[in-house]
Amino acid sequence: MSAKLIDGEALATRIRNELGPEIEAIKERTGSPPRLASLLASDNPGARVYTRSQAKSCEEVGIAYDLVELAPDTRADALGAKIDELGADPAVHGILLQMPLPPGIDAQQMAQRIPPAKDVEGITAANLGKLLFYEPAQLVPCTAAAAYELIKFAGCQIKGAECVVVGHSPIVGKPVACLITNDLGTCTICHIGTRDLKAHTTKAEILVVAAGKAGLVRGEHIMPGATVIDVGINRVPVLDERGQPVVDDKGKKKMRTVGDVEFDSAKKVAGAITPVPGGVGPVTVAILLRNTVRAARALVR
């Protein structure tokens, strides 16, 4: 058998298209679109690429995007003050804190200064806590929400299903487990302390892998016919037929993007699986846009 590919691009397009009428309604009510402020205090090339991608995504759906830049050596008090300023600005509906932060600044501490109503990444204690109390999911961590939406998009019945989440981070593993549990799925969380990973994953009708380790889960770890959501994004060398790294004409190793699931073996066993790239990634971006619109809608009500 060969697993059905779960098309993240298709789901992302559907989510983005659904935002159009909501954005127009906000513009009619306030005279301006939802506004997302992205706070960057770094000269990290990857962070700058990410902000350009965010700006493009926002422009495509009609969300205003402000890149707020601070010096890479900004101190914690100055960064916190800027977060407070954006939090108090009624024209700003969502706040993003770009990583990495300057050395010596506690990222979690800074993130908690974002007002929960403007926390479009869903990472404040207030928004994460709502998941534990079965409150309707509004501002949920973007990647966790993407994984959850892909499970539903694949046609899975979550209620009563045996589910396993590999990875227990506070922004992916734990919140996606809460989302599944809130839908009455029976969920097990596996992590570095799990003694026998295979014993758990082979019982999973729905398997979400978010451990950050390339090829951690292979075909032998998967129940035949299971739905597999691969959250991992890892860069690994391209290898030749002898297993040696392939280099370009400048002697630099060629790289490729893979997930936490060994795709070639997994697709022979799973019933449905997300590809990497093209699975969770585009849906995560769409969820960020959706969270921004939801935040704006609540704030201008």
Side-chain angles (χ1 to χ4, degrees), residues 13-197:
T13 297
R14 188 175 80 182
I15 293 171
R16 290 156 68 101
N17 288 343
E18 290 171 351
L19 298 179
E22 292 192 62
I23 292 172
E24 288 304 313
I26 291 168
K27 288 169 66 175
E28 288 180 10
R29 190 179 315 132
T30 67
S32 58
R35 183 170 296 277
L36 175 63
S38 179
L39 189 53
L40 176 67
S42 169
D43 56 6
N44 181 277
R48 291 198 170 276
V49 169
Y50 191 35
T51 58
R52 288 196 293 270
S53 175
Q54 290 171 351
K56 180 180 178 182
S57 296
C58 286
E59 181 182 6
E60 288 173 349
V61 298
I63 293 173
Y65 181 84
D66 294 334
L67 179 60
V68 181
E69 296 192 62
L70 298 178
D73 59 354
T74 296
R75 296 169 58 92
D77 55 353
L79 179 59
K82 179 56 71 173
I83 294 172
D84 294 344
E85 178 187 325
L86 294 171
D89 186 347
V92 173
H93 305 114
I95 301 172
L96 274 174
L97 189 58
Q98 299 293 340
M99 300 296 157
L101 296 182
I105 296 182
D106 188 319
Q108 185 176 17
Q109 187 180 66
M110 286 297 123
Q112 298 309 314
R113 291 184 73 152
I114 299 172
K118 298 186 179 186
D119 169 31
V120 292
E121 290 188 293
I123 57 176
T124 58
N127 284 323
L128 287 171
K130 288 179 180 179
L131 291 176
L132 298 179
F133 291 95
Y134 298 93
E135 291 193 24
Q138 293 298 319
L139 301 182
V140 177
C142 300
T143 304
Y148 172 71
E149 293 291 350
L150 282 160
I151 292 169
K152 296 192 296 180
F153 184 66
C156 292
Q157 173 65 42
I158 296 177
K159 183 178 180 180
E162 290 290 338
C163 309
V164 170
V165 177
V166 182
H168 68 312
S169 80
I171 59 172
V172 184
K174 288 177 182 177
V176 79
C178 282
L179 290 166
I180 290 170
T181 304
N182 290 353
D183 268 359
L184 299 182
T186 300
C187 192
T188 298
I189 300 178
C190 296
H191 41 65
I192 195 170
T194 301
R195 293 176 181 171
D196 188 347
L197 180 64

Side-chain angles (χ1 to χ4, degrees), residues 258-277:
V258 301
D260 290 351
V261 177
E262 188 182 74
F263 186 79
D264 288 343
S265 62
K267 70 179 181 180
K268 298 175 183 177
V269 182
I273 188 171
T274 55
V276 177

